[in-house]
Amino acid sequence: MDEHLSLKLDKVIHQKARLGIMSILSVKEEAEFNYLKTQMKLTDGNLSTHLSHLENSHYIRIKKIFVRKKPKTVCRLTEKGRKAFMEYIKNLEQIIGSVPQV
Amino acid sequence: MTEDEKKLALQDIAYIKEMVSQAKKDISHFGSGWIMMLWGIFCYIGVAGQRLFFTDGPIIGIWWTGLTVVTIFLTFMIARSHSQGASPKQLRSYARWFMIFWLPLLALAYTLCLFCVFLPDLSLAYISVFILLVISTGYIMLGLMFFRDILFMGLLGMIGTIITAIFFLEYNDIILGVLFGTGLIISGLVINQKWKSLNGRTSQP
């Protein structure tokens, strides 16, 4: 097996919180900030940092909307993010050998 | 590639699977346990009202229609209070899916009810039988598509309704009210319990 395969893993995704965020967004079309915070058990500041990291890499899009006059922060995966996530899984599978698809 | 790297990769895959499965469950929940319990209570109140207070022909229809409207409103409130994690787009697609699934079935149930009202050969006693057969069909369809527990309830409901219609038509409202009411309340409790153990947190209406 390729000795440098683990180096191919995307550094942006290769972090537990960001991997979790990407996993959730790969299923849900959109997810709200508070939902992600609860699921990931992160503080506001921590989550914001991870989201900014993903947004700067153009893996997610963040938008602020108003629902019944209340502001909400909604995140969604971009096409680039989806591809990067699939690539990440493919690389993990290569490392392991053969693992069923997620 | 070292064994440690493989182990880490396996852990990553397991973590992704866990998050994906949790997110999928969240999409399908929306307070469904509480909603089922609410409709179980609806069955009990409806039958009790029909037997005790609203015993005459047309007023029975008004009673059930009024109660249905109130219960639909409460269902909406519960679903809304449980949808904080969902985006408006998701909510719209969920509502659209719900309508695509249930509206044709409910339209069929109401058409069958109209047959009972206008066709002299059909007894009014068949109204609840028709409604519950259609609802059982809906549960069976949902069960086949998504949840095994609901499939079981749909089958039980359908068999119970058929037996009641054949042998105990005179008492169909009481039997079916208790059958569906209890079934819904128990299913709601089971769903909430599963949800609670899954999340390690309390689900509230």
Side-chain angles (χ1 to χ4, degrees), chain B residues 41-52 54 63-64 67:
Chain B
I41 293 165
F42 161 87
C43 292
Y44 275 105
I45 294 176
V47 172
Q50 180 181 327
R51 281 275 162 175
L52 300 174
F54 310 104
W63 161 241
W64 279 103
L67 193 63

Side-chain angles (χ1 to χ4, degrees), chain A residues 1-3 5-6 14 16 19-20 23-24 26-30 32 35 38-40 65 67-68 76 85 88-89 92 95-96 99-100 102, chain B residues 1-2 5-6 8-13 15-17 19-24 26-27 80 83-91 93 199 201:
Chain A
M1 201 175 283
D2 187 350
E3 279 296 319
L5 213 49
S6 62
H14 195 50
K16 196 174 179 187
L19 181 60
S23 305
I24 292 171
S26 71
V27 178
K28 286 176 170 265
E29 206 174 342
E30 287 179 337
E32 232 193 285
Y35 173 82
T38 313
Q39 292 302 307
M40 304 303 308
I65 55 166
V67 179
R68 288 185 287 276
R76 77 181 295 165
F85 184 62
Y88 183 85
I89 292 175
L92 284 180
I95 293 170
I96 296 160
V99 171
V102 177
Chain B
M1 195 59 48
T2 66
E5 281 172 322
K6 279 190 185 180
L8 284 173
L10 273 169
Q11 279 175 3
D12 271 0
I13 289 281
Y15 181 63
I16 292 169
K17 280 186 175 174
M19 298 312 286
V20 164
S21 132
Q22 182 62 49
K24 279 184 179 166
D26 285 351
I27 288 172
R80 203 173 74 161
S83 62
Q84 272 106 15
S87 68
K89 198 169 180 177
Q90 250 180 324
L91 283 177
S93 86
N199 283 275
R201 64 182 185 221

Side-chain angles (χ1 to χ4, degrees), chain B residues 55-114:
Chain B
T55 49
D56 286 338
I59 203 143
I60 295 175
I62 297 169
W63 161 241
W64 279 103
T65 307
L67 193 63
T68 305
V69 170
V70 171
T71 314
I72 287 173
F73 174 74
L74 291 174
T75 301
F76 173 75
M77 298 298 284
I78 292 174
R80 203 173 74 161
S81 75
H82 276 82
S83 62
Q84 272 106 15
S87 68
K89 198 169 180 177
Q90 250 180 324
L91 283 177
R92 275 196 301 276
S93 86
Y94 184 78
R96 196 167 48 235
W97 184 90
F98 183 84
M99 281 193 285
I100 287 170
F101 184 85
W102 281 110
L103 279 188
L105 285 174
L106 291 177
L108 173 65
Y110 274 100
T111 310
L112 293 170
C113 292
L114 288 176

